[in-house]
Amino acid sequence: MKKQIHEIYWIRAVACLTVVMIHSLTRTYATYELPNSTVDYIRSIQIVLLYATPMFILISEIVIAKVYPDKLPRSFYKKRFLYLFLF
């Protein structure tokens, strides 16, 4: 059995909560009439939180490197393509 990287679960949880926070901030200033200074402040917070998207890419790379340490299976890209575009 392969050893799991438990820290990845914490990093994934933080990234998920960050994405939720970005979307809730967007909904907040889109729904309510807020002063422009508050909207600017909220957008600044959103820009700081945008690290979550590259973090998901990093998590994916770490997991793939752990599962396939030597090389990728032959049908790796085909399976990913079919999963993303057909489901």
Side-chain angles (χ1 to χ4, degrees), residues 16-76:
C16 289
L17 291 173
T18 302
V19 169
V20 169
M21 183 70 163
I22 290 170
H23 289 290
S24 65
L25 289 173
T26 301
R27 181 64 79 114
T28 299
Y29 72 76
T31 304
Y32 301 107
E33 290 292 327
L34 299 172
N36 286 337
S37 61
T38 305
V39 172
D40 291 340
Y41 180 70
I42 290 173
R43 287 184 179 164
S44 298
I45 293 171
Q46 282 182 310
I47 289 172
V48 171
L49 295 176
L50 286 177
Y51 71 88
T53 303
M55 187 183 289
F56 278 115
I57 295 169
L58 177 69
I59 292 168
S60 297
E61 289 296 322
I62 292 171
V63 170
I64 289 171
K66 183 73 175 168
V67 172
Y68 307 112
D70 298 327
K71 66 177 192 170
L72 294 175
R74 187 169 205 160
S75 63
F76 179 81

